[in-house]
Amino acid sequence: MSILAGTRVLDFGRYIAGPFCGALLGDLGADVIRIEKVAGSEDRYTSPVTEDEQGAGFLALNRNKRGFTLNPRKPEGAEVLKRLVATADVVIANLPPDTLASMGLDYASLTEIKPDIILTTSTAFGSGGPYGTRVGFDGVAQAMSGNMHLTGHADEPMKNYFPYVDYTTGTLNAFATLAALIHRANTGEGQQVEGCLLASALTIANGTLIEEALLGKGRVASGNRGQTSAPSDAFATADGWILVQIVGNPLFERWARLMGEEYWLTDARYATDETRGDNAADISARMSQWCATRPTAQVVAELEQARIPCGEVLSPAEALANEQIVDRGFLVPTDYPGLPKPAPVGRMPVDFGKADTPIRLRAPTLGEHTRELLAELGYDDAAIDELRAARVV
């Protein structure tokens, strides 16, 4: 069973937040139509992996979608858009407000066509306030939320390599869209829902921000070493690296016994997570000494036997081959035209006991389903050829 079977989503998203929202809805069974410029959206060509430069991120973020091209600013394109919107339940568009209006994708324009439509949008800073018209990406939100200040080292702010703010915003937008669909089912009303990169980043940082507001801790970056518990750090083994995270007295007691040193449990400097965090350098130094003489496999085995959370630090190539990742099928080998071999595309990262969420469709090639969808909207072959010749589609 597909949870969103019969729900149509028009995905005008770009880059990550919008397309990931669409991908999650597609995973749940919605008919998601990815709508691009006639020449292709910018994100189609980021980090190219095929001979014709289709991007790796596009393959990941546009699973379970059909592909359509359209120029809605042309009169004929505006008519196509109206017909599409009339069939849709949700429109995703992480575009600036003025761009939405110029394309006929603002909420007022959409409701003239479909009164109960749901419009899901994203902004960098929120649609109002002094930064309301500014543009921004994931890294900007990382910078302004305190993350860069606390990541890396004290003398060098550093952002996360992976764009966690974009993915968080896309996930929250999918959550909000589902809530809006439930609201519509209960009331008959559509609405606009709006995610925000900065708000997402602040949500993730919120505990640290509360601590700063109330206690004025003034924390600065400390590399991989945690500051609110210990040991929480990356440690070199005899042949690699691992990461260990210990939170709470029971786990710390297991660690002290694994070290064979009960005195860690009677010293007031290590009595709580807070005091251990304040004295984390001492604990990390002891753990480093223990790890340095053991190969990674032995370190992980002994920590697991003691039921202490840990994991190997894997390169991307090692992650692809990791036995747990392979066994659970988190990444699904997926063919795509022009690839020398199937791409490992991430499936829905949640398992349902009563619903199916497979990768039904690979990411579409540019305009792959345009003719099919236009035919569904009532255009005959001659009309479709005219639209193509005029570069409307």
Side-chain angles (χ1 to χ4, degrees), residues 88-89 114 116-118 179-190:
D89 299 285
K114 185 82 180 295
D116 65 350
I117 199 79
I118 294 165
L181 285 167
I182 294 170
H183 176 86
R184 190 180 72 174
N186 291 334
T187 68
E189 298 174 334

Side-chain angles (χ1 to χ4, degrees), residues 10 12 72 78-88 91 93 96-119 121 191-192:
L10 306 183
F12 289 87
E79 177 59 31
V80 173
L81 178 62
K82 288 179 181 178
R83 293 199 196 185
L84 266 177
V85 170
T87 71
V91 172
D98 56 342
T99 303
L100 289 177
S102 70
M103 294 174 65
L105 294 174
D106 57 294
Y107 185 63
S109 297
L110 292 173
T111 54
E112 290 180 3
I113 305 166
K114 185 82 180 295
D116 65 350
I117 199 79
I118 294 165
L119 173 61
T121 62
Q191 62 183 298
Q192 181 174 352

